[in-house]
Amino acid sequence: MHPSSMNNMQMFVKKHLSVGTSSRARKVADIGSQVVTGQAESYKDFFNADSWQYLGVDMIEGNNVDIRLQNPYSWDEIKSDTFDVVISGQALEHVEYIWVTMLEIARILKSGGLCCIVVPSQGHKHSFPLDCWRFFDDGLVALAKWARLEVVEVYTQNANSDDEIKDPEWQDSVIVCRKPQHRFFSRIKFYLANRVCRLMVKNLVNGAVK
């Protein structure tokens, strides 16, 4: 996890997540949480207070993984409206059908919950096992619209950014979204869109969906 990614997530926590006074620990899911060899830090460091219940989510068992997903596009291990916060960094560029993953992120978020996604806009190919995408802020906004999430903040740290900590190679793009309170028919539309997308990728994902 490069320093600018850690800095961007830390800024999200400081700017958008209040300390709160609830006796219930708020639940946070970190999508793509595995700490790989050579990685010294993870986003878990920002959620180690008693007011948070951090759960790492990944496709592979390993360090910092609490929930292993069997299918990248159908997270049957996680119920809808479960998490107060969903975060992800340096993971979604490796997902082939990113729009389906965005629907799953929205599904597991509670109404009023926030998500923060950090992804590269530049950088060399780094397959894990795939490397599919680079994102600008407009692309992240399009994904948020697709998943019916409200954009709170979005930016790309390009070479001309004033940010003190930015990575000259990866030039992170960051989006913060909120899940609105959907009315009944909006919830039905969202559910149907989610199901249709799952069916569309069912025969495209090798071995992931039987």
Side-chain angles (χ1 to χ4, degrees):
M1 193 75 70
H2 52 270
S4 66
S5 179
M6 293 292 292
N7 181 67
N8 282 315
M9 190 58 67
Q10 184 177 35
M11 293 302 297
F12 161 70
V13 173
K14 289 182 176 180
K15 186 174 181 179
H16 297 285
L17 301 182
S18 60
V19 175
T21 57
S22 174
S23 58
R24 177 187 62 84
R26 289 175 291 175
K27 297 181 70 173
V28 54
D30 184 356
I31 309 301
S33 63
Q34 184 189 21
V35 175
V36 299
T37 302
Q39 182 178 332
E41 300 176 301
S42 78
Y43 295 148
K44 186 175 183 178
D45 298 336
F46 304 132
F47 299 94
N48 55 13
D50 293 338
S51 57
W52 292 107
Q53 181 186 354
Y54 171 99
L55 293 171
V57 182
D58 212 307
M59 292 295 300
I60 303 172
E61 292 182 352
N63 185 15
N64 200 42
V65 179
D66 302 296
I67 301 174
R68 181 191 175 190
L69 301 174
Q70 298 298 317
N71 185 323
Y73 308 111
S74 182
W75 302 350
D76 297 333
E77 298 83 358
I78 306 176
K79 294 181 179 179
S80 300
D81 307 305
T82 296
F83 289 95
D84 301 280
V85 178
V86 176
I87 59 175
S88 181
Q90 277 60 57
L92 298 191
E93 66 268 26
H94 303 291
V95 179
E96 288 181 283
Y97 310 111
I98 181 64
W99 49 93
V100 187
T101 300
M102 282 298 297
L103 288 177
E104 284 294 82
I105 288 174
R107 181 183 65 80
I108 69 173
L109 262 180
K110 294 180 180 179
S111 294
L114 293 174
C115 74
C116 179
I117 297 172
V118 183
V119 284
S121 69
Q122 305 291 330
H124 67 271
K125 184 175 182 179
H126 57 298
S127 300
F128 196 75
L130 303 171
D131 188 6
C132 302
W133 308 101
R134 295 295 180 268
F135 302 84
F136 291 115
D137 42 5
D138 289 344
L140 291 177
V141 169
L143 286 171
K145 289 180 179 178
W146 169 254
R148 294 175 174 81
L149 296 172
E150 298 174 346
V151 177
V152 177
E153 181 180 19
V154 63
Y155 58 90
T156 295
Q157 293 178 305
N158 57 41
N160 298 320
S161 298
D162 295 329
D163 304 83
E164 293 183 3
I165 299 180
K166 59 185 178 183
D167 191 285
E169 179 178 9
W170 301 113
Q171 299 183 38
D172 298 330
S173 289
V174 181
I175 191 167
V176 177
C177 299
R178 178 180 291 107
K179 182 177 180 178
Q181 181 70 49
H182 292 301
R183 295 183 178 181
F184 176 76
F185 287 109
S186 294
R187 291 176 65 88
I188 295 298
K189 289 179 181 179
F190 176 83
Y191 172 80
L192 291 175
N194 196 322
R195 296 302 300 175
V196 168
C197 280
R198 290 187 191 186
L199 289 173
M200 289 177 66
V201 302
K202 182 175 182 179
N203 296 322
L204 298 178
V205 183
N206 295 328
V209 182
K210 300 296 185 182

